[in-house]
Amino acid sequence: MLLPVSEKLRQKLEETNRDLRKVYPEEVFNRSAMKERLATIGQFSQVSKWSGPEMKAWLRGRSLVGVDGSVNSTPGTHPHTLSVFQALAKGTGGEEYWAADLYTPLLEKEEKPEEGQLAREAQHRGRLLAGLEIGTALEAVRRWSPGVILMDGSLYHFRIDHGKAWEELANEAEKAGVLLVGVSEEIGTQALARTLFPGQGNYSDREVLFGVMQPGEVYISPELEPPGSGLWKAVLAPTRNPQPVGVDGLLSQSAAREELLRLVYSLTPVQGRGIPLWLDIVDQEVRVTDSLVEAMVEQHIDPDLRHRLLVPKRSDRVL
């Protein structure tokens, strides 16, 4: 079925494709050639999957906890929005701990949006969500002392967004012998690309790692570990998807790095998107959907306030 696009748009797309091919030539991003380049600054290895009994024995009767969070907002423009946050720590032994928060710029003192205000709001929402997720993980450590806490996203980003709360979580996890591990679906760094291609500032690690690794393969490089972060970092290909995932953990717990990588690999369906099944289950439960936001606002915000402040005019469109 042909899509109804103008000839001008088709020409622009073809032109963009040619420009992208010049920047990302096939010979540079050839799988074997790229793997050889990566091997000069790091090391590839292979991990195997655990059986159920092997994983249970390694956990020594302790549970596995997944931590994830979600945020969604009412439609509208600044400042007429309300954001709903949820975070959940869920253990394989039936344990659950929920946290929630709300945010609206309507309660801020600053009435007129300044330059960069929307970017700061997005950053604020990110920090709020990270804080909730760290808080739920901390409660999991204190209440249940699980064997492992799997967190959705890089631990490094939690450290950046909420340094003080992160240090508290890391310290308590170390004392309780709880292993922390973060799994990032998207690799957002540029450290490898900048080292291998210093003249190409637009290359990213996602691009140089794409399609290079086989299922169960691990890549480790000193370039990946931010100095002074207190974290180890690795790249893992847990599925047949050509895009690997990022995995990181506490440097003080690096003796368990291989076991944690095996755990992530074992818990991830080979046909999946690269995230451990337990984290996907938590994600489904905690997700704040559009319908949930709409229902909660309709139920708890007075009608006059809702229509005056939070209902955009476009919602009245017939088509």
Side-chain angles (χ1 to χ4, degrees):
M1 177 179 169
L2 294 176
L3 297 175
V5 298
S6 68
E7 180 62 20
K8 286 288 185 182
L9 179 56
R10 186 186 65 79
Q11 291 174 1
K12 285 290 183 183
L13 286 168
E14 291 178 353
E15 181 183 331
T16 299
N17 183 70
R18 289 193 296 269
D19 291 342
L20 286 171
R21 179 54 64 202
K22 290 177 183 177
V23 177
Y24 300 94
E26 287 182 292
E27 60 271 19
V28 172
F29 287 87
N30 172 272
R31 178 183 179 274
S32 58
M34 186 63 75
K35 193 163 189 175
E36 287 179 8
R37 281 178 180 261
L38 287 164
T40 64
I41 59 170
Q43 181 180 358
F44 289 95
S45 61
Q46 188 80 24
V47 292
S48 58
K49 289 200 173 189
W50 272 324
S51 65
E54 287 174 330
M55 189 184 303
K56 189 175 180 181
W58 180 71
L59 287 168
R60 297 178 182 177
R62 300 169 78 180
S63 66
L64 169 73
V65 169
V67 171
D68 197 4
S70 179
V71 57
N72 201 352
S73 303
T74 56
T77 57
H78 175 88
H80 300 98
T81 59
L82 185 148
S83 300
V84 178
F85 302 79
Q86 282 194 148
L88 169 63
K90 184 179 180 68
T92 51
E95 311 95 332
E96 283 192 359
Y97 179 81
W98 290 81
D101 205 349
L102 296 174
Y103 167 69
T104 174
L106 290 165
L107 295 177
E108 298 289 322
K109 292 182 180 180
E110 183 62 51
E111 295 179 359
K112 296 181 180 180
E114 300 175 350
E115 185 178 352
Q117 179 68 35
L118 297 181
R120 286 195 296 273
E121 275 184 29
Q123 186 180 40
H124 182 61
R125 286 194 295 269
R127 290 190 74 255
L128 272 175
L129 184 60
L132 282 183
E133 292 178 84
I134 291 172
T136 57
L138 185 58
E139 286 296 324
V141 171
R142 291 171 175 170
R143 293 174 181 226
W144 316 317
S145 190
V148 178
I149 293 181
L150 275 171
M151 301 191 72
D152 185 48
S154 169
L155 300 186
Y156 184 60
H157 286 296
F158 289 113
R159 182 182 181 275
I160 291 174
D161 288 339
H162 263 284
K164 187 175 180 181
W166 166 252
E167 288 299 328
E168 185 178 9
L169 171 60
N171 290 336
E172 294 214 19
E174 288 170 348
K175 291 176 184 176
V178 177
L179 297 173
L180 293 180
V181 60
V183 183
S184 306
E185 184 179 5
E186 289 284 347
I187 296 174
T189 56
Q190 287 186 296
L192 301 174
R194 286 175 176 170
T195 302
L196 294 175
F197 302 96
Q200 294 286 355
N202 54 334
Y203 285 5
S204 71
D205 294 350
R206 181 187 194 277
E207 291 143 19
V208 302
L209 290 164
F210 186 87
V212 168
M213 302 165 68
Q214 297 296 322
E217 203 165 9
V218 174
Y219 178 70
I220 295 171
S221 170
E223 303 292 334
L224 288 169
E225 298 178 359
S229 68
L231 299 170
W232 59 262
K233 189 171 183 65
V235 176
L236 169 69
T239 70
R240 295 194 180 99
N241 190 297
Q243 185 62 56
V245 301
V247 182
D248 56 1
L250 299 180
L251 204 56
S252 60
Q253 298 176 341
S254 58
R257 178 169 60 184
E258 184 176 345
E259 287 83 359
L260 288 170
L261 289 166
R262 288 188 70 187
L263 177 71
V264 173
Y265 182 38
S266 301
L267 291 172
T268 306
V270 71
Q271 300 289 358
R273 62 190 178 99
I275 295 299
L277 182 59
W278 192 246
L279 273 182
D280 257 343
I281 291 171
V282 178
D283 171 76
Q284 290 296 319
E285 289 194 25
V286 78
R287 186 172 299 173
V288 180
T289 61
D290 291 345
S291 57
L292 176 61
V293 172
E294 183 180 355
M296 295 299 289
V297 169
E298 187 171 336
Q299 183 176 355
H300 296 287
I301 303 297
D302 291 342
D304 65 313
L305 292 174
R306 187 168 73 245
H307 287 279
R308 181 186 299 274
L309 302 173
L310 300 173
V311 178
K313 191 174 182 180
R314 66 173 179 267
S315 64
D316 295 328
R317 290 177 181 171
V318 176
L319 296 178

